[in-house]
Structure formats: C-alpha cells, structure tokens
C-alpha cells in the first residue's frame, strides 16, 4: 500500500526540520489559472522568481516516528 503525505510532510517539517537530509533551493511558481493545471508547482521562468527550499531526501525512520507519535497521542 502507498499513500501521499504531502500536507503531513509540510506540517512535520514545521515541527522538526532535522528529518530533511538533502534539499536544494529552486525558483518555483504555482499555477493560479483555473484549469487542468490549477495548483501545479513548476520551475519559474519569471524575471523575479520566488526561491524555495525543496526537500530531496528524508530520514524516513525519524519522520515516521514523529508521524506515528503524533497520531497515537
């Protein structure tokens, strides 16, 4: 089984940034035009992009220990 945990991942990062073992800064933008790509995140081509840190690798045991601990409080 698999599941997407994007929102939980972002919330966990706010509690413990240490589980991110690799990241890089990229200039991203979010498509805010209503349509099939609404909400899509992509590399920005704008002249003044917004730099953000993108998580590339995680300490999964540490992340899931935090996740499980918060779900079973």
């Amino acid at each position: 089984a698999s599941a997407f945990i994007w929102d939980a991942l972002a919330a966990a990062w706010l509690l413990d940034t240490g589980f991110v073992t690799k990241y890089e800064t990229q200039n991203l933008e979010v498509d805010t035009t209503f349509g099939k790509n609404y909400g899509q995140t992509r590399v920005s081509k704008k002249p003044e992009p917004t730099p953000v840190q993108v998580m590339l690798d995680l300490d999964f045991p540490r992340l899931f220990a935090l996740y499980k601990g918060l779900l079973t409080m």
Side-chain angles (χ1 to χ4, degrees):
S2 64
F4 296 105
I5 59 166
W6 310 124
D7 292 338
L9 185 60
W13 180 84
L14 292 172
L15 297 172
D16 177 9
T17 60
F19 69 80
V20 179
T21 58
K22 183 178 179 185
Y23 68 90
E24 69 184 24
T25 300
Q26 294 186 359
N27 297 320
L28 301 181
E29 63 184 43
V30 178
D31 186 342
T32 58
T33 305
F34 288 104
K36 68 178 185 173
N37 295 325
Y38 181 74
Q40 181 182 42
T41 304
R42 59 181 170 252
V43 175
S44 180
K45 296 176 184 165
K46 293 181 179 180
E48 296 181 23
T50 302
V52 297
Q53 290 183 351
V54 178
M55 296 178 207
L56 299 176
D57 202 7
L58 309 171
D59 178 345
F60 286 101
R62 181 173 174 169
L63 170 63
F64 284 109
L66 173 65
Y67 188 74
K68 181 180 176 182
L70 292 171
L71 286 175
T72 58
M73 289 180 96

